C-alpha cells in the first residue's frame, strides 16, 4: 500500500470492497478523482493554481507512473500570463472519466482491485472493481477514520476529506457525524482550490439536473444526491 496517490486512495474509499459498487454518484466520483489527481501533482510541486487555472511548473516526470501520465496530459507551460494552463473545473469535468479509468487500471495492476465483467439486462457489458485478495480498501478506511479522529492534521488528509465531502462520500464514511462536524467538512472543501473545483463541477451538474426537472425532463440528479457542501 506504499505510495498511494490521492486519486487512488479516494477510489479505494468510494468502492465497496465486496461488490465493487460506488458509494456515491459515478460522475461525482469521476470529478473527485480528476481533482485529486491535480491535487497530487500540486503536493509534488509539479503544478500551481492561480485564479482557477492550473499550470505546470515542473514538467519533469514524477517517479509515480500514474502521476507521470496525468502530468503528461496537461499542456506544457508557455510562459504567458494570459490563458496558460487549464481551467480547473472544466478540466475536472472533461477528463474525469478518463482519469478514473487510469486510476482503476493502476490499482488493478498493483493488486488492490480485481475486475469483474457483468452485463446489464444480459446484453451490455460493464465492469465492477471489488477488492482483490489483499484488501487495501479497509486499510484506506482505517487511515481515513484515524485522520478524522485527529481532526485531519495535515494537508494531504484535509485534501482527501475535502474531496469526500465535495462528492457526497463523507456521509457514507462518517454517517453519524454531528452538525458541527458537518460544518468542518464543508469548510475543508473551500480551504483548497482542487476540492473546490470539484464542488463547483458537482454543483453545475445539480443545477443542470434541477433545470431539467423543472422543464419536465425527469432527471434524478445523479447517484445518491450527494455533492458539494454535503
Amino acid at each position: 500500500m506504499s505510495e498511494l496517490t490521492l486519486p487512488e486512495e479516494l477510489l479505494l474509499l468510494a468502492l465497496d470492497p465486496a461488490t465493487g459498487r460506488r458509494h456515491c454518484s459515478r460522475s461525482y466520483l469521476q470529478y473527485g478523482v480528476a481533482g485529486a489527481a491535480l491535487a497530487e501533482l500540486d503536493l509534488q510541486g509539479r503544478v500551481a493554481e492561480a485564479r482557477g487555472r492550473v499550470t505546470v511548473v515542473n514538467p519533469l516526470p514524477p517517479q509515480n507512473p500514474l502521476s507521470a501520465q496525468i502530468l503528461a496530459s496537461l499542456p506544457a507551460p508557455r510562459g504567458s500570463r494570459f490563458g496558460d494552463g487549464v481551467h480547473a473545473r472544466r478540466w475536472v469535468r472533461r477528463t474525469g472519466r478518463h482519469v478514473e479509468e487510469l486510476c482503476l487500471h493502476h490499482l488493478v495492476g498493483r493488486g488492490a482491485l480485481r475486475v469483474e465483467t457483468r452485463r446489464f439486462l444480459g446484453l451490455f457489458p460493464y465492469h465492477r472493481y471489488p477488492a482483490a485478495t489483499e484488501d487495501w480498501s479497509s486499510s484506506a478506511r482505517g487511515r481515513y477514520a484515524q485522520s478524522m479522529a485527529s481532526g485531519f492534521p495535515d494537508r494531504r488528509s484535509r485534501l482527501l476529506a475535502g474531496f469526500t465531502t465535495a462528492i457526497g462520500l463523507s456521509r457514507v464514511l462518517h454517517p453519524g457525524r454531528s452538525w458541527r462536524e458537518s460544518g468542518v467538512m464543508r469548510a475543508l472543501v473551500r480551504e483548497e482550490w482542487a476540492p473546490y473545483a470539484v464542488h463547483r463541477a458537482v454543483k453545475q451538474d445539480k443545477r443542470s439536473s434541477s433545470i431539467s426537472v423543472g422543464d419536465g425532463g425527469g432527471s434524478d440528479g445523479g447517484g445518491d444526491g450527494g455533492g458539494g457542501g454535503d
Side-chain angles (χ1 to χ4, degrees):
M1 288 198 60
S2 61
E3 299 181 4
L4 273 175
T5 63
L6 271 173
E8 289 174 318
E9 194 141 16
L10 182 61
L11 270 172
L12 290 175
L13 292 172
L15 296 175
D16 186 286
T19 66
R21 293 177 62 91
R22 294 168 176 83
H23 286 301
C24 61
S25 160
R26 179 172 186 170
S27 59
Y28 297 176
L29 177 57
Q30 290 172 350
Y31 299 158
V33 169
L38 291 178
E40 180 69 34
L41 293 174
D42 186 19
L43 287 172
Q44 297 177 15
R46 306 289 176 170
V47 301
E49 182 271 346
R51 297 186 296 277
R53 299 192 70 86
V54 181
T55 306
V56 175
V57 294
N58 181 354
L60 295 177
Q63 290 185 344
N64 181 278
L66 176 59
S67 294
Q69 282 184 274
I70 302 299
L71 183 65
S73 73
L74 298 172
R78 298 189 298 271
S80 170
R81 293 185 303 165
F82 306 100
D84 208 2
V86 295
H87 188 280
R89 175 176 55 83
R90 294 172 189 163
W91 190 87
V92 160
R93 289 180 61 85
R94 186 177 69 248
T95 67
R97 180 176 180 178
H98 173 65
V99 175
E100 183 194 48
E101 289 174 351
L102 279 179
C103 292
L104 289 168
H105 175 76
H106 277 269
L107 286 170
V108 170
R110 298 178 68 181
L113 301 174
R114 69 180 191 276
V115 186
E116 289 184 354
T117 301
R118 304 186 181 188
R119 291 188 178 274
F120 179 66
L121 299 177
L123 298 173
F124 307 105
Y126 66 96
H127 300 306
R128 288 269 176 84
Y129 294 89
T133 304
E134 185 177 353
D135 182 7
W136 293 21
S137 301
S138 297
S139 298
R141 290 197 174 208
R143 286 196 307 276
Y144 185 86
Q146 289 176 354
S147 295
M148 182 181 295
S150 303
F152 301 107
D154 56 82
R155 187 186 178 200
R156 185 183 183 86
S157 66
R158 290 194 298 273
L159 279 164
L160 189 58
F163 289 121
T164 64
T165 304
I167 66 176
L169 179 61
S170 61
R171 67 184 64 190
V172 178
L173 299 173
H174 186 26
R177 64 191 179 184
S178 66
W179 178 85
R180 179 182 176 279
E181 289 170 327
S182 296
V184 170
M185 299 295 282
R186 287 194 296 271
L188 290 175
V189 174
R190 292 170 172 78
E191 182 179 290
E192 294 274 358
W193 61 266
Y196 187 63
V198 172
H199 162 72
R200 292 181 64 209
V202 169
K203 190 174 181 179
Q204 183 176 339
D205 273 16
K206 289 184 172 183
R207 187 183 304 116
S208 299
S209 175
S210 65
I211 292 172
S212 297
V213 171
D215 290 341
S219 172
D220 64 2
D224 61 0
D230 195 330

